[in-house]
Amino acid sequence: QVQLVESGGGVVQPGRSLTLSCAASGFTFSNFPIHWVRQAPGKGLEWVALISYDGTNKYYADSVKGRFTISRDNSRKTLYLQMNSLRVEDTAVYFCARGAVAGLYFDYWGQGTLVTVSS
Amino acid sequence: DIQMTQSPSSLSASVGDRVTITCRASQDISDYLAWYQQKPGRVPKLLIFAASTLQSGVPSRFSGSGSGTDFTLTISSLQPEDVASYYCQNYNRAPMTFGQGTKVEIK
């Protein structure tokens, strides 16, 4: 079955960096676009970033553009999110989500990893 | 960016009631609309894509309709396990945007 497992979350001070990982299994990772979506505590869902199946195309929400970098290693079936210059408002659970073949929606989600930005 | 506005923000209904949630896009998105269910403390789950196509395994009491700017998610007979927040999502193009969510409770 499709599995996405995030890791790398934790508590970090404002202005510092953190890298999240998402390990995939149960499907041909290199065939699918993958997204990061976040959810601040008690709030709604916010799309963060998208990477195409082969890593050549990347898209970002304005709120993270220039600070976050999405990447993937298809040989390791792993997605990454490098987060720099973190802000308090980046505090959220970060989900990786598989992009559907038919469109830019999300058909499978990981369990999420919590990032807390606090001094 | 396309703004997605859901209503109501919360509702309380009885078991067996018909429940309707609406989602309005700030511009025409054709049928590039998905709905997700997020139960308390759980991961979001895809219910519907292409405005009206039920994801495999989703109970048939859920249905979606609409195109252009106005969309609806309907639960034909509310069940206790349907207590959750529901989100619409535009996927016409990046950035993909979500509605603010509708919290559904049992009366």
Side-chain angles (χ1 to χ4, degrees), chain A residues 11-92:
Chain A
V11 180
V12 61
Q13 293 179 327
R16 304 298 290 266
S17 299
L18 200 63
T19 299
L20 306 182
S21 300
C22 170
S25 61
F27 66 102
T28 305
F29 182 71
S30 57
N31 284 356
F32 290 85
I34 308 289
H35 303 254
W36 287 102
V37 179
R38 68 184 180 183
Q39 186 170 36
K43 302 297 184 182
L45 300 167
E46 179 188 16
W47 172 79
V48 173
L50 157 67
I51 187 166
S52 60
Y53 70 99
D54 60 358
T56 55
N57 295 301
K58 305 174 184 181
Y59 304 87
Y60 300 93
D62 286 345
S63 58
V64 307
K65 201 173 294 182
R67 300 188 298 122
F68 289 12
T69 301
I70 190 172
S71 62
R72 66 191 296 162
D73 184 337
N74 283 346
S75 66
R76 296 179 183 271
K77 300 181 183 179
T78 302
L79 173 76
Y80 303 99
L81 186 68
Q82 170 72 38
M83 304 185 294
N84 297 331
S85 303
L86 281 161
R87 304 168 180 169
V88 171
E89 55 265 34
D90 294 320
T91 295

Side-chain angles (χ1 to χ4, degrees), chain A residues 89-100:
Chain A
E89 55 265 34
D90 294 320
T91 295
V93 174
Y94 285 74
F95 300 99
C96 60
R98 194 180 82 167

